[in-house]
Amino acid sequence: MGMTENLLSTSQWLLTASIFVLVLLVALRSVDWQALRKDNATQHSLFGAAVVLGFVWQLRAGISPGLAIHIFGITVITLMLGWALAVISGLLALVITVITGREPLVMFAANGLMTVMVPALVTHAIMLWERRRDFRNFFAYIFFCGFFGAGLSVAAAGVLMCLMLWSSGVYTFETLVHEYLRYLPLFMIPEGFVNGVFVTGLMVFHPDRLSTLDQRRYR
C-alpha cells in the first residue's frame, strides 16, 4: 500500500511527519553505528534488503488512490536486522520508489510511517512477546514472529491507512470497507506466507542472519 498522491489534510500531514521524524530519531539513536561499520555481513543485508524491497514495491495492485496493495516484506527484515535497521533499510527502499516515480516525495513521511515503521514496530512487539513467553520450540519463533507477525503488521498498517483516509474525508467508511477492509484478511495471508517462508529458510540454513533469534532457547 502507498499513497501515490497527497490525500491528507494539512494537519494530518504535519501529524504524520512529526511521528515519522520522532520514530526515525529513536531508530537512529538505537543503532550501534560502530558495530555496524565493522560488520560487513550486516551492511550487505541492510543495503541488499533495501534494493530488493525497492524493486518489489514497484509491483502493486489497486484501483482507488491510496488503496493499492503490495508485499511489505518488512517482517523478515526486522527479524534479520532488528527494528531500527529495518526502518532504515525500508526507508532506503522507499527512496527508490520515489526516484522511480512510484511514490511522491511529499508523501514520503506518510508512506514511510505506514509501509515501514508500523510493520517494523508491530513485528518487534510480537518478537518481544514471543521472547517473554519463553517458548522452547523453534516453531514458535517461525509461526508467531514470521507468519503471524507479518500478517498482523500488514493488518495494522492497513487499518491505520484507512483511518487516515476516512478522517481526512477522502473516502467514506462504507467505501473503505467495500474496497479495502473486507479484503484485508486476504492480504494478510500472502504477506504471512512470504515472510514466513523466508524466515524458515534463514532459520534452517543461515540462523546467524536472524539477529533476533536466540538459538540457545530452542536447544
Side-chain angles (χ1 to χ4, degrees):
M1 68 190 63
M3 294 191 180
T4 55
E5 56 187 83
N6 191 356
L7 301 176
L8 302 180
S9 64
T10 302
S11 59
Q12 285 182 319
W13 188 91
L14 290 174
L15 177 61
T16 55
S18 300
I19 298 174
F20 172 86
V21 171
L22 178 62
V23 175
L24 180 58
L25 289 176
V26 174
L28 293 174
R29 288 177 58 88
S30 301
V31 175
D32 187 343
W33 295 103
Q34 290 187 348
L36 179 62
R37 281 195 292 267
K38 299 176 182 178
D39 192 343
N40 290 330
T42 301
Q43 293 178 27
H44 294 159
S45 298
L46 173 70
F47 294 109
V51 172
V52 171
L53 288 179
F55 284 99
V56 168
W57 289 350
Q58 305 294 320
L59 307 174
R60 60 187 65 189
I63 300 175
S64 302
L67 299 180
I69 60 171
H70 59 76
I71 294 295
F72 281 30
I74 292 295
T75 292
V76 64
I77 308 303
T78 302
L79 297 178
M80 287 176 60
L81 304 173
W83 80 271
L85 287 179
V87 165
I88 295 172
S89 181
L91 293 181
L92 291 175
L94 198 58
V95 169
I96 295 176
T97 65
V98 172
I99 293 175
T100 58
R102 295 294 287 175
E103 308 281 5
L105 181 60
V106 69
M107 297 303 294
F108 188 87
N111 287 326
L113 182 63
M114 291 183 294
T115 307
V116 178
M117 293 176 173
V118 169
L121 291 173
V122 170
T123 300
H124 179 69
I126 294 174
M127 183 271 297
L128 292 179
W129 173 83
E130 190 271 343
R131 187 175 293 176
R132 286 195 299 268
R133 295 289 295 181
D134 197 27
F135 292 108
R136 295 297 177 176
N137 192 317
F138 68 89
F139 282 109
Y141 180 87
I142 294 174
F143 177 76
F144 288 116
C145 299
F147 288 91
F148 181 72
L152 192 58
S153 67
V154 75
V159 170
L160 174 62
M161 180 192 68
C162 287
L163 287 175
M164 292 174 62
L165 294 175
W166 174 61
S167 61
S168 66
V170 176
Y171 297 110
T172 63
F173 184 74
E174 290 75 14
T175 300
L176 291 171
V177 171
H178 178 73
E179 295 194 13
Y180 190 87
L181 288 175
R182 68 174 180 172
Y183 301 112
L184 193 55
L186 298 179
F187 307 157
M188 296 167 62
I189 295 174
E191 184 73 27
F193 177 78
V194 170
N195 285 269
V197 166
F198 275 98
V199 170
T200 303
L202 288 170
M203 194 169 187
V204 173
F205 297 106
H206 298 285
D208 54 299
R209 292 288 187 177
L210 294 167
S211 66
T212 61
L213 174 65
D214 184 2
Q215 300 181 52
R216 297 169 298 179
R217 288 174 47 208
Y218 307 108
R219 293 178 180 176

Short mmCIF file of all heavy atoms in Angstrom, two decimals, residues 1 34 39 53 73 102 108 115 121 154 194:
data_model
loop_
_atom_site.label_atom_id
_atom_site.label_comp_id
_atom_site.label_asym_id
_atom_site.label_seq_id
_atom_site.Cartn_x
_atom_site.Cartn_y
_atom_site.Cartn_z
N MET A 1 0.85 -1.18 0.00
CA MET A 1 0.00 0.00 0.00
C MET A 1 0.88 1.23 0.00
O MET A 1 2.01 1.22 0.49
CB MET A 1 -0.91 -0.01 1.22
CG MET A 1 -0.19 0.17 2.54
SD MET A 1 -1.24 -0.14 3.95
CE MET A 1 -1.64 -1.87 3.70
N GLN A 34 29.10 2.00 15.44
CA GLN A 34 30.46 1.48 15.42
C GLN A 34 30.47 0.00 15.07
O GLN A 34 31.30 -0.45 14.26
CB GLN A 34 31.13 1.70 16.78
CG GLN A 34 31.45 3.17 17.07
CD GLN A 34 32.25 3.33 18.36
OE1 GLN A 34 32.38 2.39 19.14
NE2 GLN A 34 32.79 4.51 18.57
N ASP A 39 30.80 -4.58 10.74
CA ASP A 39 30.07 -5.80 10.38
C ASP A 39 29.66 -5.74 8.91
O ASP A 39 28.61 -5.21 8.57
CB ASP A 39 28.84 -5.95 11.27
CG ASP A 39 28.19 -7.32 11.15
OD1 ASP A 39 28.47 -8.03 10.18
OD2 ASP A 39 27.40 -7.67 12.05
N LEU A 53 13.60 -4.71 -1.69
CA LEU A 53 12.29 -4.13 -1.37
C LEU A 53 11.93 -3.00 -2.33
O LEU A 53 10.78 -2.87 -2.73
CB LEU A 53 12.28 -3.61 0.07
CG LEU A 53 12.28 -4.64 1.19
CD1 LEU A 53 12.28 -3.94 2.54
CD2 LEU A 53 11.09 -5.58 1.09
N GLY A 73 7.18 -7.17 3.22
CA GLY A 73 8.49 -7.79 3.43
C GLY A 73 9.28 -7.23 4.60
O GLY A 73 10.43 -7.58 4.81
N ARG A 102 7.14 6.01 -8.38
CA ARG A 102 6.00 5.25 -7.87
C ARG A 102 5.36 5.92 -6.66
O ARG A 102 4.19 5.69 -6.38
CB ARG A 102 6.45 3.83 -7.51
CG ARG A 102 6.92 3.00 -8.68
CD ARG A 102 5.79 2.71 -9.64
NE ARG A 102 4.86 1.73 -9.12
CZ ARG A 102 3.72 1.36 -9.71
NH1 ARG A 102 3.36 1.95 -10.85
NH2 ARG A 102 2.94 0.45 -9.18
N PHE A 108 6.33 11.07 1.47
CA PHE A 108 7.38 10.16 1.96
C PHE A 108 7.17 9.81 3.44
O PHE A 108 7.30 8.66 3.84
CB PHE A 108 8.75 10.80 1.76
CG PHE A 108 9.89 9.87 2.07
CD1 PHE A 108 10.39 9.03 1.09
CD2 PHE A 108 10.47 9.84 3.33
CE1 PHE A 108 11.45 8.17 1.36
CE2 PHE A 108 11.51 8.98 3.62
CZ PHE A 108 12.00 8.13 2.63
N THR A 115 4.15 2.04 5.67
CA THR A 115 4.73 0.90 4.97
C THR A 115 5.93 0.32 5.67
O THR A 115 6.21 -0.88 5.54
CB THR A 115 5.13 1.31 3.54
OG1 THR A 115 4.01 1.92 2.89
CG2 THR A 115 5.58 0.12 2.71
N LEU A 121 7.60 -2.00 13.83
CA LEU A 121 7.31 -1.92 15.27
C LEU A 121 6.35 -3.01 15.72
O LEU A 121 6.50 -3.57 16.83
CB LEU A 121 6.75 -0.54 15.60
CG LEU A 121 7.75 0.62 15.48
CD1 LEU A 121 7.05 1.96 15.65
CD2 LEU A 121 8.86 0.48 16.51
N VAL A 154 0.78 -6.13 8.51
CA VAL A 154 0.11 -5.55 7.35
C VAL A 154 -1.32 -5.15 7.71
O VAL A 154 -1.85 -4.16 7.18
CB VAL A 154 0.12 -6.54 6.16
CG1 VAL A 154 -0.86 -7.67 6.34
CG2 VAL A 154 -0.19 -5.82 4.85
N VAL A 194 4.85 -15.31 2.57
CA VAL A 194 6.14 -14.91 2.00
C VAL A 194 7.17 -14.67 3.10
O VAL A 194 8.30 -15.19 3.04
CB VAL A 194 5.96 -13.64 1.13
CG1 VAL A 194 7.33 -13.07 0.74
CG2 VAL A 194 5.16 -13.95 -0.11
#
